Amino acid sequence: MQSESSLPQPPATPPAADVALEREVTRRSRRTFLVGGLAALAGLGGWRWLLGQPEVMDIPGPLRAGLEANARVAATLLSPTQLAPEFPRNQARTPRANGSVGLKQPLDVAAWRLRVEGFGGQPVREFSLAELQALPRTEMTTELKCIEGWSTVVTWAGVRLTDFLARYPLATLPSAEIAPYVSLRTPDDAYYVGLDMVSALHPQTLLCYEMNGRPLLPEHGAPLRLITPRKYGIKQLKRIGTLAFVAERPADYWAARGYDWHASL
């Protein structure tokens, strides 16, 4: 015969505090579910509203307005006195060859020419690589940053755009008015970027023909590419074909696909 202590005992009545706590948890869970559901519906409605707004440069206007606000902040921070960090040359490495838009046509370096469209209807001029290499050479070791999140320290060499324009004042009218924008395009016009003139005249903006002490390889933009280390790599066009000084903000490959036109770091 079992003793009274070994018999199954009826469950104890939960303390009043535990019952109250369980009720509060249940109440809050229901409220959280309702609030979350309403927030999700509001978010969906907001997204539908956003997608229904008129587009500006291929994205909804409110999104473009946000990017432009960021650009104005970046513009206030960019000045000729603010340089990208430079590194010891022994830290330089070969960056990955990222992106091939504009590089798919066969390249004949000997026949290549830089086509420059001067501001205000000046005659178009063409420059060989040798003519560019005859201008003052600038070398710097800076960090190439990709918008995908990776970066590589690289040694670049070429002619600063400011030195090119000092020798060939193609961005300036006789009245001393200077072009507000620069457009750069690959020879096949498949890839194109735009710069404001402040960025173009930054002392670290190079028309670059060497990487880590050697001529550029085709996949890295031979024979001439843009280097401007205060901006992401999507702005640093490879294989420049045409350089144009223009009065209106030029088209930009990635800005047309929803990215910030300035792409400043």
Short mmCIF file of all heavy atoms in Angstrom, two decimals, residues 218-257:
data_model
loop_
_atom_site.label_atom_id
_atom_site.label_comp_id
_atom_site.label_asym_id
_atom_site.label_seq_id
_atom_site.Cartn_x
_atom_site.Cartn_y
_atom_site.Cartn_z
N PRO A 218 44.85 45.87 -69.76
CA PRO A 218 43.53 46.14 -70.37
C PRO A 218 42.38 46.04 -69.38
O PRO A 218 41.46 46.87 -69.37
CB PRO A 218 43.43 45.10 -71.48
CG PRO A 218 44.84 44.84 -71.88
CD PRO A 218 45.63 44.93 -70.59
N GLU A 219 42.40 45.00 -68.50
CA GLU A 219 41.30 44.82 -67.57
C GLU A 219 41.26 45.88 -66.47
O GLU A 219 40.26 46.04 -65.75
CB GLU A 219 41.35 43.43 -66.93
CG GLU A 219 42.59 43.16 -66.10
CD GLU A 219 43.71 42.50 -66.90
OE1 GLU A 219 43.77 42.72 -68.14
OE2 GLU A 219 44.51 41.76 -66.30
N HIS A 220 42.35 46.65 -66.33
CA HIS A 220 42.39 47.72 -65.35
C HIS A 220 42.31 49.11 -65.99
O HIS A 220 42.53 50.11 -65.32
CB HIS A 220 43.65 47.61 -64.48
CG HIS A 220 43.61 46.44 -63.53
ND1 HIS A 220 42.74 46.38 -62.47
CD2 HIS A 220 44.33 45.29 -63.52
CE1 HIS A 220 42.93 45.23 -61.82
NE2 HIS A 220 43.88 44.56 -62.42
N GLY A 221 42.00 49.13 -67.29
CA GLY A 221 41.70 50.42 -67.91
C GLY A 221 42.69 50.95 -68.90
O GLY A 221 42.63 52.13 -69.25
N ALA A 222 43.65 50.13 -69.35
CA ALA A 222 44.63 50.60 -70.32
C ALA A 222 43.93 51.19 -71.54
O ALA A 222 42.85 50.73 -71.93
CB ALA A 222 45.53 49.44 -70.75
N PRO A 223 44.54 52.23 -72.13
CA PRO A 223 45.82 52.84 -71.74
C PRO A 223 45.69 53.98 -70.74
O PRO A 223 46.68 54.45 -70.21
CB PRO A 223 46.34 53.35 -73.08
CG PRO A 223 45.09 53.74 -73.82
CD PRO A 223 44.05 52.74 -73.42
N LEU A 224 44.45 54.44 -70.47
CA LEU A 224 44.26 55.60 -69.60
C LEU A 224 42.95 55.44 -68.84
O LEU A 224 41.92 55.10 -69.42
CB LEU A 224 44.21 56.89 -70.43
CG LEU A 224 44.28 58.21 -69.64
CD1 LEU A 224 45.69 58.47 -69.14
CD2 LEU A 224 43.80 59.38 -70.52
N ARG A 225 43.02 55.68 -67.54
CA ARG A 225 41.81 55.61 -66.72
C ARG A 225 41.77 56.80 -65.77
O ARG A 225 42.77 57.51 -65.60
CB ARG A 225 41.76 54.31 -65.92
CG ARG A 225 42.85 54.20 -64.86
CD ARG A 225 42.61 53.01 -63.95
NE ARG A 225 41.40 53.17 -63.16
CZ ARG A 225 40.81 52.18 -62.49
NH1 ARG A 225 41.32 50.95 -62.54
NH2 ARG A 225 39.73 52.41 -61.78
N LEU A 226 40.63 56.98 -65.16
CA LEU A 226 40.47 58.04 -64.17
C LEU A 226 40.74 57.48 -62.78
O LEU A 226 40.29 56.39 -62.43
CB LEU A 226 39.04 58.58 -64.22
CG LEU A 226 38.70 59.68 -63.20
CD1 LEU A 226 39.43 60.97 -63.54
CD2 LEU A 226 37.19 59.91 -63.15
N ILE A 227 41.50 58.23 -61.99
CA ILE A 227 41.68 57.92 -60.57
C ILE A 227 41.30 59.16 -59.77
O ILE A 227 41.82 60.25 -60.00
CB ILE A 227 43.13 57.51 -60.25
CG1 ILE A 227 43.44 56.16 -60.90
CG2 ILE A 227 43.36 57.43 -58.75
CD1 ILE A 227 42.58 55.00 -60.39
N THR A 228 40.37 58.99 -58.85
CA THR A 228 39.95 60.08 -57.97
C THR A 228 39.58 59.46 -56.63
O THR A 228 38.44 59.05 -56.40
CB THR A 228 38.78 60.90 -58.60
OG1 THR A 228 38.40 61.95 -57.72
CG2 THR A 228 37.61 60.04 -59.00
N PRO A 229 40.55 59.31 -55.72
CA PRO A 229 40.39 58.48 -54.53
C PRO A 229 39.42 58.99 -53.48
O PRO A 229 39.15 58.29 -52.51
CB PRO A 229 41.81 58.39 -53.96
CG PRO A 229 42.52 59.58 -54.49
CD PRO A 229 41.93 59.83 -55.83
N ARG A 230 38.86 60.18 -53.67
CA ARG A 230 37.81 60.64 -52.76
C ARG A 230 36.44 60.10 -53.17
O ARG A 230 35.42 60.45 -52.57
CB ARG A 230 37.78 62.17 -52.72
CG ARG A 230 38.99 62.82 -52.05
CD ARG A 230 39.06 62.53 -50.56
NE ARG A 230 37.83 62.91 -49.88
CZ ARG A 230 37.57 64.12 -49.39
NH1 ARG A 230 38.47 65.08 -49.51
NH2 ARG A 230 36.43 64.38 -48.77
N LYS A 231 36.41 59.26 -54.20
CA LYS A 231 35.15 58.68 -54.67
C LYS A 231 35.29 57.16 -54.79
O LYS A 231 36.41 56.62 -54.86
CB LYS A 231 34.74 59.29 -56.01
CG LYS A 231 34.41 60.77 -55.90
CD LYS A 231 33.93 61.33 -57.22
CE LYS A 231 33.62 62.82 -57.08
NZ LYS A 231 32.45 63.08 -56.22
N TYR A 232 34.16 56.48 -54.83
CA TYR A 232 34.15 55.03 -54.99
C TYR A 232 34.62 54.64 -56.40
O TYR A 232 34.60 55.45 -57.33
CB TYR A 232 32.75 54.47 -54.74
CG TYR A 232 32.39 54.39 -53.28
CD1 TYR A 232 31.47 55.29 -52.72
CD2 TYR A 232 32.94 53.42 -52.45
CE1 TYR A 232 31.13 55.23 -51.38
CE2 TYR A 232 32.61 53.35 -51.10
CZ TYR A 232 31.71 54.26 -50.57
OH TYR A 232 31.38 54.20 -49.24
N GLY A 233 35.00 53.38 -56.53
CA GLY A 233 35.53 52.89 -57.80
C GLY A 233 34.57 53.01 -58.97
O GLY A 233 35.02 53.08 -60.12
N ILE A 234 33.26 53.03 -58.71
CA ILE A 234 32.32 53.14 -59.83
C ILE A 234 32.48 54.45 -60.59
O ILE A 234 32.05 54.55 -61.74
CB ILE A 234 30.86 53.00 -59.35
CG1 ILE A 234 30.51 54.04 -58.29
CG2 ILE A 234 30.59 51.59 -58.85
CD1 ILE A 234 29.03 54.04 -57.89
N LYS A 235 33.11 55.45 -59.98
CA LYS A 235 33.35 56.73 -60.65
C LYS A 235 34.66 56.74 -61.42
O LYS A 235 34.88 57.61 -62.27
CB LYS A 235 33.38 57.86 -59.62
CG LYS A 235 32.02 58.42 -59.25
CD LYS A 235 31.40 59.17 -60.40
CE LYS A 235 30.19 59.96 -59.95
NZ LYS A 235 29.54 60.67 -61.07
N GLN A 236 35.55 55.80 -61.15
CA GLN A 236 36.91 55.87 -61.67
C GLN A 236 37.00 55.09 -62.99
O GLN A 236 37.55 54.01 -63.07
CB GLN A 236 37.88 55.38 -60.60
CG GLN A 236 37.73 56.24 -59.34
CD GLN A 236 38.67 55.89 -58.23
OE1 GLN A 236 39.86 55.69 -58.46
NE2 GLN A 236 38.17 55.80 -57.00
N LEU A 237 36.45 55.73 -64.00
CA LEU A 237 36.25 55.10 -65.30
C LEU A 237 37.53 54.55 -65.90
O LEU A 237 38.57 55.21 -65.90
CB LEU A 237 35.62 56.12 -66.25
CG LEU A 237 35.28 55.66 -67.65
CD1 LEU A 237 33.92 56.22 -68.08
CD2 LEU A 237 36.33 56.11 -68.65
N LYS A 238 37.42 53.33 -66.43
CA LYS A 238 38.56 52.68 -67.09
C LYS A 238 38.46 52.88 -68.60
O LYS A 238 37.38 52.93 -69.16
CB LYS A 238 38.55 51.18 -66.75
CG LYS A 238 38.80 50.91 -65.26
CD LYS A 238 38.86 49.43 -64.94
CE LYS A 238 37.51 48.79 -64.88
NZ LYS A 238 37.56 47.40 -64.34
N ARG A 239 39.62 52.96 -69.23
CA ARG A 239 39.75 53.16 -70.69
C ARG A 239 38.98 54.39 -71.14
O ARG A 239 37.96 54.31 -71.82
CB ARG A 239 39.31 51.92 -71.46
CG ARG A 239 39.73 52.00 -72.95
CD ARG A 239 39.24 50.82 -73.76
NE ARG A 239 39.84 49.57 -73.34
CZ ARG A 239 39.59 48.37 -73.88
NH1 ARG A 239 38.75 48.31 -74.89
NH2 ARG A 239 40.18 47.29 -73.44
N ILE A 240 39.52 55.55 -70.78
CA ILE A 240 38.87 56.80 -71.20
C ILE A 240 38.99 56.95 -72.71
O ILE A 240 40.07 56.83 -73.28
CB ILE A 240 39.53 58.01 -70.51
CG1 ILE A 240 39.52 57.84 -68.99
CG2 ILE A 240 38.78 59.30 -70.88
CD1 ILE A 240 40.32 58.91 -68.26
N GLY A 241 37.86 57.24 -73.34
CA GLY A 241 37.86 57.53 -74.77
C GLY A 241 37.61 59.00 -75.03
O GLY A 241 38.29 59.63 -75.84
N THR A 242 36.63 59.56 -74.31
CA THR A 242 36.24 60.96 -74.50
C THR A 242 36.19 61.67 -73.16
O THR A 242 35.65 61.14 -72.18
CB THR A 242 34.87 61.07 -75.19
OG1 THR A 242 34.93 60.43 -76.46
CG2 THR A 242 34.47 62.53 -75.38
N LEU A 243 36.75 62.86 -73.13
CA LEU A 243 36.71 63.75 -71.98
C LEU A 243 36.04 65.03 -72.46
O LEU A 243 36.52 65.67 -73.40
CB LEU A 243 38.13 64.02 -71.49
CG LEU A 243 38.36 64.97 -70.32
CD1 LEU A 243 37.77 64.41 -69.04
CD2 LEU A 243 39.86 65.22 -70.14
N ALA A 244 34.91 65.41 -71.85
CA ALA A 244 34.16 66.57 -72.32
C ALA A 244 33.87 67.52 -71.16
O ALA A 244 33.48 67.07 -70.07
CB ALA A 244 32.85 66.14 -72.98
N PHE A 245 34.05 68.80 -71.40
CA PHE A 245 33.76 69.83 -70.40
C PHE A 245 32.43 70.46 -70.78
O PHE A 245 32.28 71.03 -71.87
CB PHE A 245 34.89 70.85 -70.36
CG PHE A 245 36.20 70.24 -69.97
CD1 PHE A 245 37.14 69.92 -70.94
CD2 PHE A 245 36.49 69.95 -68.65
CE1 PHE A 245 38.35 69.32 -70.60
CE2 PHE A 245 37.69 69.35 -68.29
CZ PHE A 245 38.62 69.04 -69.27
N VAL A 246 31.44 70.34 -69.87
CA VAL A 246 30.06 70.65 -70.24
C VAL A 246 29.40 71.56 -69.22
O VAL A 246 29.84 71.68 -68.07
CB VAL A 246 29.24 69.35 -70.39
CG1 VAL A 246 29.78 68.52 -71.56
CG2 VAL A 246 29.25 68.52 -69.11
N ALA A 247 28.30 72.19 -69.64
CA ALA A 247 27.59 73.15 -68.79
C ALA A 247 26.53 72.48 -67.91
O ALA A 247 26.17 73.02 -66.86
CB ALA A 247 26.93 74.21 -69.66
N GLU A 248 26.00 71.34 -68.33
CA GLU A 248 24.95 70.65 -67.59
C GLU A 248 25.49 69.36 -66.99
O GLU A 248 26.42 68.75 -67.53
CB GLU A 248 23.77 70.33 -68.51
CG GLU A 248 23.16 71.54 -69.19
CD GLU A 248 22.48 72.48 -68.20
OE1 GLU A 248 22.04 71.99 -67.14
OE2 GLU A 248 22.40 73.69 -68.49
N ARG A 249 24.89 68.95 -65.88
CA ARG A 249 25.32 67.71 -65.24
C ARG A 249 25.19 66.55 -66.22
O ARG A 249 24.10 66.27 -66.73
CB ARG A 249 24.49 67.41 -64.00
CG ARG A 249 24.91 66.11 -63.31
CD ARG A 249 23.95 65.68 -62.23
NE ARG A 249 24.08 66.49 -61.04
CZ ARG A 249 23.49 66.17 -59.89
NH1 ARG A 249 22.73 65.10 -59.79
NH2 ARG A 249 23.65 66.96 -58.84
N PRO A 250 26.28 65.84 -66.51
CA PRO A 250 26.22 64.77 -67.51
C PRO A 250 25.63 63.49 -66.94
O PRO A 250 25.54 63.29 -65.73
CB PRO A 250 27.70 64.58 -67.89
CG PRO A 250 28.45 65.00 -66.68
CD PRO A 250 27.65 66.10 -66.04
N ALA A 251 25.25 62.61 -67.85
CA ALA A 251 24.73 61.30 -67.46
C ALA A 251 25.83 60.50 -66.76
O ALA A 251 27.02 60.71 -66.98
CB ALA A 251 24.23 60.56 -68.69
N ASP A 252 25.39 59.56 -65.94
CA ASP A 252 26.32 58.71 -65.19
C ASP A 252 25.75 57.30 -65.16
O ASP A 252 24.57 57.10 -64.84
CB ASP A 252 26.49 59.25 -63.77
CG ASP A 252 27.57 58.51 -62.99
OD1 ASP A 252 27.26 57.46 -62.40
OD2 ASP A 252 28.71 58.99 -62.98
N TYR A 253 26.58 56.33 -65.49
CA TYR A 253 26.12 54.95 -65.66
C TYR A 253 25.40 54.42 -64.44
O TYR A 253 24.29 53.89 -64.53
CB TYR A 253 27.32 54.05 -66.00
CG TYR A 253 26.97 52.61 -66.30
CD1 TYR A 253 26.67 52.21 -67.60
CD2 TYR A 253 26.94 51.65 -65.30
CE1 TYR A 253 26.36 50.89 -67.89
CE2 TYR A 253 26.63 50.33 -65.56
CZ TYR A 253 26.34 49.95 -66.87
OH TYR A 253 26.02 48.64 -67.16
N TRP A 254 26.00 54.56 -63.26
CA TRP A 254 25.39 53.98 -62.06
C TRP A 254 24.34 54.89 -61.45
O TRP A 254 23.40 54.41 -60.81
CB TRP A 254 26.46 53.60 -61.04
CG TRP A 254 27.16 52.33 -61.44
CD1 TRP A 254 28.44 52.20 -61.89
CD2 TRP A 254 26.59 51.02 -61.45
NE1 TRP A 254 28.70 50.88 -62.20
CE2 TRP A 254 27.60 50.13 -61.93
CE3 TRP A 254 25.35 50.49 -61.12
CZ2 TRP A 254 27.38 48.77 -62.08
CZ3 TRP A 254 25.12 49.13 -61.27
CH2 TRP A 254 26.12 48.28 -61.74
N ALA A 255 24.44 56.19 -61.65
CA ALA A 255 23.37 57.08 -61.18
C ALA A 255 22.07 56.75 -61.90
O ALA A 255 20.99 56.83 -61.32
CB ALA A 255 23.75 58.53 -61.40
N ALA A 256 22.17 56.37 -63.17
CA ALA A 256 20.99 55.98 -63.94
C ALA A 256 20.40 54.67 -63.44
O ALA A 256 19.28 54.31 -63.81
CB ALA A 256 21.34 55.85 -65.42
N ARG A 257 21.14 53.97 -62.58
CA ARG A 257 20.67 52.69 -62.03
C ARG A 257 20.39 52.80 -60.54
O ARG A 257 20.39 51.79 -59.83
CB ARG A 257 21.70 51.60 -62.34
CG ARG A 257 21.68 51.23 -63.82
CD ARG A 257 22.99 50.63 -64.30
NE ARG A 257 22.88 50.21 -65.69
CZ ARG A 257 22.96 51.04 -66.73
NH1 ARG A 257 23.15 52.33 -66.52
NH2 ARG A 257 22.85 50.58 -67.97
#
